[in-house]
Amino acid sequence: MLFRSELLEMVGLAAERDRAARELAHGKQKQLELAVTLAARPKMLLLDEPTAGMSVAETDSCIALVGDIVDRMGITLLFTEHDMGVVFGLADSVSVLHHGRLIAEGNPDAVRRDPEVRRVYLGHD
């Protein structure tokens, strides 16, 4: 069982332990949400647009944090994300949907090179 202090340390909020959630910046609130989720010791972590509304620096920090936690705890991560930098930075396997249709699937490098993915999501021909 993880204790509150361990969870806060794990998500980078140990220094904020005495602050109310409403006083935290948006990115820190996301970290707190992650800590609350991890308290249940999930086997799979489902995230929907985990970096939405974050600055570039917060996004980079979030990717590193989630990647570290998933590796350390041995959790399977399934997430939806429109920021392809986040997808390629976190995922071992990528499935790309366009208008509800699967257009590509595989490792990040293969998906990044897929002509349909490049046209639809990356803005290349």
Side-chain angles (χ1 to χ4, degrees), residues 76-104:
T76 298
L77 175 64
L78 177 63
F79 66 102
T80 59
E81 181 63 65
H82 287 90
D83 183 331
M84 298 309 281
V86 171
V87 172
F88 294 136
L90 265 178
D92 294 325
S93 178
V94 179
S95 298
V96 180
L97 301 173
H98 182 60
H99 296 295
R101 184 176 65 84
L102 182 66
I103 62 170

mmCIF file of all heavy atoms in Angstrom, residues 76-104:
data_model
loop_
_atom_site.group_PDB
_atom_site.id
_atom_site.type_symbol
_atom_site.label_atom_id
_atom_site.label_comp_id
_atom_site.label_asym_id
_atom_site.label_seq_id
_atom_site.Cartn_x
_atom_site.Cartn_y
_atom_site.Cartn_z
ATOM 1 N N THR A 76 0.135 -0.692 -17.176
ATOM 2 C CA THR A 76 -0.150 -0.515 -18.592
ATOM 3 C C THR A 76 -0.800 0.855 -18.763
ATOM 4 O O THR A 76 -1.691 1.221 -17.989
ATOM 5 C CB THR A 76 -1.109 -1.615 -19.087
ATOM 6 O OG1 THR A 76 -0.462 -2.877 -18.931
ATOM 7 C CG2 THR A 76 -1.485 -1.406 -20.545
ATOM 8 N N LEU A 77 -0.355 1.598 -19.752
ATOM 9 C CA LEU A 77 -0.892 2.938 -20.021
ATOM 10 C C LEU A 77 -1.655 2.919 -21.331
ATOM 11 O O LEU A 77 -1.129 2.478 -22.359
ATOM 12 C CB LEU A 77 0.247 3.952 -20.097
ATOM 13 C CG LEU A 77 -0.120 5.378 -20.499
ATOM 14 C CD1 LEU A 77 -1.037 6.015 -19.466
ATOM 15 C CD2 LEU A 77 1.137 6.216 -20.682
ATOM 16 N N LEU A 78 -2.891 3.379 -21.303
ATOM 17 C CA LEU A 78 -3.711 3.550 -22.499
ATOM 18 C C LEU A 78 -4.194 4.988 -22.474
ATOM 19 O O LEU A 78 -4.818 5.414 -21.499
ATOM 20 C CB LEU A 78 -4.891 2.578 -22.485
ATOM 21 C CG LEU A 78 -5.881 2.689 -23.644
ATOM 22 C CD1 LEU A 78 -5.198 2.364 -24.972
ATOM 23 C CD2 LEU A 78 -7.068 1.764 -23.404
ATOM 24 N N PHE A 79 -3.877 5.737 -23.519
ATOM 25 C CA PHE A 79 -4.279 7.133 -23.511
ATOM 26 C C PHE A 79 -4.674 7.620 -24.892
ATOM 27 O O PHE A 79 -4.261 7.078 -25.900
ATOM 28 C CB PHE A 79 -3.185 8.028 -22.919
ATOM 29 C CG PHE A 79 -1.918 8.112 -23.728
ATOM 30 C CD1 PHE A 79 -1.655 9.217 -24.529
ATOM 31 C CD2 PHE A 79 -0.970 7.102 -23.680
ATOM 32 C CE1 PHE A 79 -0.487 9.311 -25.253
ATOM 33 C CE2 PHE A 79 0.204 7.182 -24.389
ATOM 34 C CZ PHE A 79 0.447 8.293 -25.192
ATOM 35 N N THR A 80 -5.551 8.635 -24.890
ATOM 36 C CA THR A 80 -5.904 9.331 -26.117
ATOM 37 C C THR A 80 -5.222 10.683 -26.065
ATOM 38 O O THR A 80 -5.153 11.319 -25.006
ATOM 39 C CB THR A 80 -7.425 9.534 -26.267
ATOM 40 O OG1 THR A 80 -7.903 10.278 -25.142
ATOM 41 C CG2 THR A 80 -8.152 8.211 -26.338
ATOM 42 N N GLU A 81 -4.726 11.119 -27.194
ATOM 43 C CA GLU A 81 -3.995 12.386 -27.226
ATOM 44 C C GLU A 81 -3.904 12.879 -28.659
ATOM 45 O O GLU A 81 -3.661 12.100 -29.578
ATOM 46 C CB GLU A 81 -2.588 12.178 -26.654
ATOM 47 C CG GLU A 81 -1.724 13.406 -26.607
ATOM 48 C CD GLU A 81 -2.278 14.497 -25.708
ATOM 49 O OE1 GLU A 81 -2.369 14.290 -24.489
ATOM 50 O OE2 GLU A 81 -2.613 15.578 -26.248
ATOM 51 N N HIS A 82 -4.127 14.168 -28.838
ATOM 52 C CA HIS A 82 -3.985 14.773 -30.166
ATOM 53 C C HIS A 82 -2.603 15.369 -30.384
ATOM 54 O O HIS A 82 -2.218 15.629 -31.514
ATOM 55 C CB HIS A 82 -5.068 15.841 -30.382
ATOM 56 C CG HIS A 82 -6.422 15.249 -30.589
ATOM 57 N ND1 HIS A 82 -7.281 14.993 -29.543
ATOM 58 C CD2 HIS A 82 -7.045 14.819 -31.707
ATOM 59 C CE1 HIS A 82 -8.387 14.453 -30.023
ATOM 60 N NE2 HIS A 82 -8.276 14.333 -31.319
ATOM 61 N N ASP A 83 -1.875 15.598 -29.322
ATOM 62 C CA ASP A 83 -0.518 16.139 -29.430
ATOM 63 C C ASP A 83 0.401 14.982 -29.797
ATOM 64 O O ASP A 83 0.737 14.137 -28.970
ATOM 65 C CB ASP A 83 -0.103 16.774 -28.108
ATOM 66 C CG ASP A 83 1.267 17.420 -28.146
ATOM 67 O OD1 ASP A 83 2.130 16.969 -28.928
ATOM 68 O OD2 ASP A 83 1.476 18.366 -27.367
ATOM 69 N N MET A 84 0.805 14.956 -31.061
ATOM 70 C CA MET A 84 1.594 13.826 -31.550
ATOM 71 C C MET A 84 2.959 13.744 -30.879
ATOM 72 O O MET A 84 3.521 12.660 -30.743
ATOM 73 C CB MET A 84 1.730 13.888 -33.072
ATOM 74 C CG MET A 84 0.388 13.805 -33.806
ATOM 75 S SD MET A 84 -0.646 12.416 -33.295
ATOM 76 C CE MET A 84 0.121 11.103 -34.198
ATOM 77 N N GLY A 85 3.493 14.851 -30.413
ATOM 78 C CA GLY A 85 4.744 14.822 -29.666
ATOM 79 C C GLY A 85 4.594 14.041 -28.373
ATOM 80 O O GLY A 85 5.490 13.284 -27.982
ATOM 81 N N VAL A 86 3.462 14.195 -27.723
ATOM 82 C CA VAL A 86 3.178 13.449 -26.502
ATOM 83 C C VAL A 86 3.037 11.963 -26.836
ATOM 84 O O VAL A 86 3.616 11.107 -26.170
ATOM 85 C CB VAL A 86 1.891 13.968 -25.811
ATOM 86 C CG1 VAL A 86 1.473 13.061 -24.670
ATOM 87 C CG2 VAL A 86 2.090 15.392 -25.323
ATOM 88 N N VAL A 87 2.286 11.674 -27.893
ATOM 89 C CA VAL A 87 2.081 10.280 -28.295
ATOM 90 C C VAL A 87 3.421 9.605 -28.570
ATOM 91 O O VAL A 87 3.726 8.543 -28.027
ATOM 92 C CB VAL A 87 1.178 10.193 -29.545
ATOM 93 C CG1 VAL A 87 1.133 8.766 -30.086
ATOM 94 C CG2 VAL A 87 -0.228 10.696 -29.223
ATOM 95 N N PHE A 88 4.230 10.229 -29.420
ATOM 96 C CA PHE A 88 5.497 9.614 -29.798
ATOM 97 C C PHE A 88 6.494 9.601 -28.637
ATOM 98 O O PHE A 88 7.401 8.780 -28.608
ATOM 99 C CB PHE A 88 6.095 10.304 -31.017
ATOM 100 C CG PHE A 88 5.266 10.125 -32.268
ATOM 101 C CD1 PHE A 88 5.026 11.195 -33.108
ATOM 102 C CD2 PHE A 88 4.726 8.890 -32.599
ATOM 103 C CE1 PHE A 88 4.266 11.029 -34.264
ATOM 104 C CE2 PHE A 88 3.963 8.718 -33.752
ATOM 105 C CZ PHE A 88 3.735 9.797 -34.586
ATOM 106 N N GLY A 89 6.323 10.484 -27.661
ATOM 107 C CA GLY A 89 7.210 10.526 -26.505
ATOM 108 C C GLY A 89 6.897 9.484 -25.448
ATOM 109 O O GLY A 89 7.756 9.108 -24.664
ATOM 110 N N LEU A 90 5.652 9.003 -25.412
ATOM 111 C CA LEU A 90 5.229 8.076 -24.365
ATOM 112 C C LEU A 90 4.959 6.653 -24.840
ATOM 113 O O LEU A 90 5.211 5.703 -24.117
ATOM 114 C CB LEU A 90 3.935 8.580 -23.718
ATOM 115 C CG LEU A 90 4.021 9.408 -22.468
ATOM 116 C CD1 LEU A 90 2.635 9.853 -22.021
ATOM 117 C CD2 LEU A 90 4.729 8.711 -21.348
ATOM 118 N N ALA A 91 4.426 6.521 -26.020
ATOM 119 C CA ALA A 91 3.875 5.236 -26.446
ATOM 120 C C ALA A 91 4.912 4.249 -26.972
ATOM 121 O O ALA A 91 5.863 4.628 -27.645
ATOM 122 C CB ALA A 91 2.817 5.474 -27.518
ATOM 123 N N ASP A 92 4.690 2.989 -26.650
ATOM 124 C CA ASP A 92 5.454 1.895 -27.240
ATOM 125 C C ASP A 92 4.745 1.377 -28.484
ATOM 126 O O ASP A 92 5.371 0.853 -29.397
ATOM 127 C CB ASP A 92 5.596 0.736 -26.251
ATOM 128 C CG ASP A 92 6.419 1.095 -25.037
ATOM 129 O OD1 ASP A 92 7.384 1.872 -25.186
ATOM 130 O OD2 ASP A 92 6.106 0.609 -23.944
ATOM 131 N N SER A 93 3.430 1.507 -28.487
ATOM 132 C CA SER A 93 2.596 1.076 -29.595
ATOM 133 C C SER A 93 1.529 2.143 -29.808
ATOM 134 O O SER A 93 0.972 2.658 -28.839
ATOM 135 C CB SER A 93 1.942 -0.271 -29.263
ATOM 136 O OG SER A 93 1.089 -0.679 -30.301
ATOM 137 N N VAL A 94 1.239 2.446 -31.078
ATOM 138 C CA VAL A 94 0.306 3.521 -31.407
ATOM 139 C C VAL A 94 -0.767 2.992 -32.351
ATOM 140 O O VAL A 94 -0.454 2.285 -33.319
ATOM 141 C CB VAL A 94 1.038 4.704 -32.091
ATOM 142 C CG1 VAL A 94 0.064 5.813 -32.468
ATOM 143 C CG2 VAL A 94 2.155 5.235 -31.206
ATOM 144 N N SER A 95 -2.017 3.351 -32.064
ATOM 145 C CA SER A 95 -3.130 3.096 -32.974
ATOM 146 C C SER A 95 -3.707 4.450 -33.335
ATOM 147 O O SER A 95 -4.026 5.243 -32.443
ATOM 148 C CB SER A 95 -4.209 2.234 -32.313
ATOM 149 O OG SER A 95 -3.687 0.969 -31.966
ATOM 150 N N VAL A 96 -3.831 4.728 -34.619
ATOM 151 C CA VAL A 96 -4.300 6.032 -35.068
ATOM 152 C C VAL A 96 -5.672 5.877 -35.712
ATOM 153 O O VAL A 96 -5.851 5.092 -36.648
ATOM 154 C CB VAL A 96 -3.316 6.662 -36.079
ATOM 155 C CG1 VAL A 96 -3.832 8.022 -36.535
ATOM 156 C CG2 VAL A 96 -1.929 6.784 -35.475
ATOM 157 N N LEU A 97 -6.637 6.642 -35.188
ATOM 158 C CA LEU A 97 -7.986 6.658 -35.731
ATOM 159 C C LEU A 97 -8.228 7.982 -36.435
ATOM 160 O O LEU A 97 -7.762 9.034 -35.988
ATOM 161 C CB LEU A 97 -9.015 6.493 -34.618
ATOM 162 C CG LEU A 97 -8.937 5.239 -33.769
ATOM 163 C CD1 LEU A 97 -9.932 5.319 -32.612
ATOM 164 C CD2 LEU A 97 -9.192 4.007 -34.600
ATOM 165 N N HIS A 98 -8.992 7.920 -37.519
ATOM 166 C CA HIS A 98 -9.423 9.132 -38.217
ATOM 167 C C HIS A 98 -10.877 8.918 -38.597
ATOM 168 O O HIS A 98 -11.206 7.961 -39.311
ATOM 169 C CB HIS A 98 -8.556 9.380 -39.452
ATOM 170 C CG HIS A 98 -8.919 10.631 -40.198
ATOM 171 N ND1 HIS A 98 -8.870 11.879 -39.615
ATOM 172 C CD2 HIS A 98 -9.344 10.818 -41.456
ATOM 173 C CE1 HIS A 98 -9.235 12.781 -40.499
ATOM 174 N NE2 HIS A 98 -9.545 12.167 -41.622
ATOM 175 N N HIS A 99 -11.750 9.783 -38.071
ATOM 176 C CA HIS A 99 -13.195 9.648 -38.276
ATOM 177 C C HIS A 99 -13.681 8.256 -37.898
ATOM 178 O O HIS A 99 -14.480 7.644 -38.601
ATOM 179 C CB HIS A 99 -13.576 9.973 -39.725
ATOM 180 C CG HIS A 99 -13.307 11.390 -40.113
ATOM 181 N ND1 HIS A 99 -13.958 12.461 -39.539
ATOM 182 C CD2 HIS A 99 -12.433 11.914 -41.005
ATOM 183 C CE1 HIS A 99 -13.501 13.582 -40.063
ATOM 184 N NE2 HIS A 99 -12.575 13.283 -40.960
ATOM 185 N N GLY A 100 -13.153 7.735 -36.774
ATOM 186 C CA GLY A 100 -13.589 6.449 -36.250
ATOM 187 C C GLY A 100 -13.036 5.238 -36.970
ATOM 188 O O GLY A 100 -13.403 4.105 -36.662
ATOM 189 N N ARG A 101 -12.135 5.445 -37.898
ATOM 190 C CA ARG A 101 -11.553 4.336 -38.673
ATOM 191 C C ARG A 101 -10.076 4.213 -38.349
ATOM 192 O O ARG A 101 -9.353 5.204 -38.331
ATOM 193 C CB ARG A 101 -11.744 4.629 -40.166
ATOM 194 C CG ARG A 101 -11.278 3.512 -41.083
ATOM 195 C CD ARG A 101 -11.593 3.814 -42.551
ATOM 196 N NE ARG A 101 -10.876 4.963 -43.074
ATOM 197 C CZ ARG A 101 -9.630 4.928 -43.551
ATOM 198 N NH1 ARG A 101 -8.963 3.794 -43.581
ATOM 199 N NH2 ARG A 101 -9.061 6.017 -44.012
ATOM 200 N N LEU A 102 -9.625 2.985 -38.099
ATOM 201 C CA LEU A 102 -8.219 2.733 -37.843
ATOM 202 C C LEU A 102 -7.439 2.926 -39.136
ATOM 203 O O LEU A 102 -7.714 2.270 -40.131
ATOM 204 C CB LEU A 102 -8.024 1.302 -37.325
ATOM 205 C CG LEU A 102 -6.601 0.895 -36.954
ATOM 206 C CD1 LEU A 102 -6.108 1.691 -35.748
ATOM 207 C CD2 LEU A 102 -6.535 -0.597 -36.675
ATOM 208 N N ILE A 103 -6.461 3.871 -39.112
ATOM 209 C CA ILE A 103 -5.673 4.113 -40.321
ATOM 210 C C ILE A 103 -4.235 3.647 -40.195
ATOM 211 O O ILE A 103 -3.550 3.493 -41.205
ATOM 212 C CB ILE A 103 -5.714 5.592 -40.770
ATOM 213 C CG1 ILE A 103 -5.109 6.516 -39.713
ATOM 214 C CG2 ILE A 103 -7.141 5.999 -41.126
ATOM 215 C CD1 ILE A 103 -4.908 7.951 -40.188
ATOM 216 N N ALA A 104 -3.775 3.410 -38.976
ATOM 217 C CA ALA A 104 -2.409 2.913 -38.788
ATOM 218 C C ALA A 104 -2.265 2.339 -37.389
ATOM 219 O O ALA A 104 -2.946 2.768 -36.459
ATOM 220 C CB ALA A 104 -1.398 4.031 -38.995
#
